[in-house]
Amino acid sequence: LDYPDKTACILWFAGCNMRCLYCYNPEIVLGKGKIEFEKVLQFLQKRKGLLDAVVFSGGECTIHKQIIPYIQAIKKAGFLVKVDTNGSNPAFIQKAIEASLLDYVAVDFKAPFSKFETITKSEFHSEFSQTLQILIQSNIPFEIRTTVHSELLNEEDLMEMCHYLHQHGYKKTLYIQQFINHTKTLSPLPYSKNQLSADRFQNFPIPVVLRN
Ligand code: SF4
């Protein structure tokens, strides 16, 4: 499910430079890693021929100090690499593309910039824009995705975000993940009404697909 058309395992990297209110992974964002990288490589050696790819996720994997050598080691072992990122680290994306380390990237577009800080408790909207431009100008397959909680983002916000993407050269799909209720989150949130349906996005400037 995490890498289009590939079988993959996921490495969840502890720590994050955002504090999104709706974050499903408080243990990962606030916790510490539990597995040594050598063990990951040993695991992957046994999965050769069964797994196509490894997904680097988190948390925010791109801020891990060893991310580049880790990806190099996994690519050397013969696996494709996908990176899930919140878009806050364009320098890493640039460097990794130049070193041919990325096979697929999924970038979160958290919110329209007027709400970005409130929802993510961070100020990385300009870094997100830079990441978007780097990926558009590369030939790396990538996708943009947004998690929607009805109390945080509404249809107007999504329209604004789609206009932004379209105006900045992204003509592909925005994937929407509707917030899953009754999940532990970084901040207590009210019930999300999840009222979105595909027919509401027909007049949007780029295609919008609901994933759940
Ligand atoms: S949802 Fe936000 S806080 Fe949670 S891991 Fe992703 S970027 Fe970090």
Side-chain angles (χ1 to χ4, degrees), residues 16 18-20 22-25 29 58-60 86 108 110 186:
C16 189
M18 292 187 184
R19 291 290 182 271
C20 306
Y22 62 78
C23 180
Y24 296 133
N25 294 326
V29 168
E60 176 57 25
N86 59 22
D108 295 340
K110 298 291 186 183
L186 263 181

Side-chain angles (χ1 to χ4, degrees), residues 149-184:
H149 185 295
S150 62
E151 299 297 310
L152 302 178
L153 291 178
N154 56 36
E155 251 176 74
E156 282 173 17
D157 295 323
L158 293 172
M159 175 68 100
E160 185 182 334
M161 291 161 72
C162 285
H163 272 297
Y164 178 88
L165 290 171
H166 187 258
Q167 284 162 3
H168 288 80
Y170 182 81
K171 316 282 186 198
K172 297 188 294 174
T173 301
L174 173 67
Y175 291 95
I176 303 274
Q177 302 166 165
Q178 302 201 75
F179 180 84
I180 299 166
N181 286 301
H182 311 300
T183 310
K184 195 173 167 193

Side-chain angles (χ1 to χ4, degrees), residues 117-160:
E117 191 175 342
T118 307
I119 291 178
T120 68
K121 300 290 174 203
S122 74
E123 295 180 345
F124 287 115
H125 42 78
S126 136
E127 285 78 1
F128 167 81
S129 301
Q130 292 169 45
T131 298
L132 177 66
Q133 285 313 308
I134 292 166
L135 285 167
I136 285 172
Q137 284 157 27
S138 77
N139 54 10
I140 304 292
F142 75 102
E143 68 181 45
I144 307 282
R145 58 196 191 174
T146 297
T147 301
V148 177
H149 185 295
S150 62
E151 299 297 310
L152 302 178
L153 291 178
N154 56 36
E155 251 176 74
E156 282 173 17
D157 295 323
L158 293 172
M159 175 68 100
E160 185 182 334

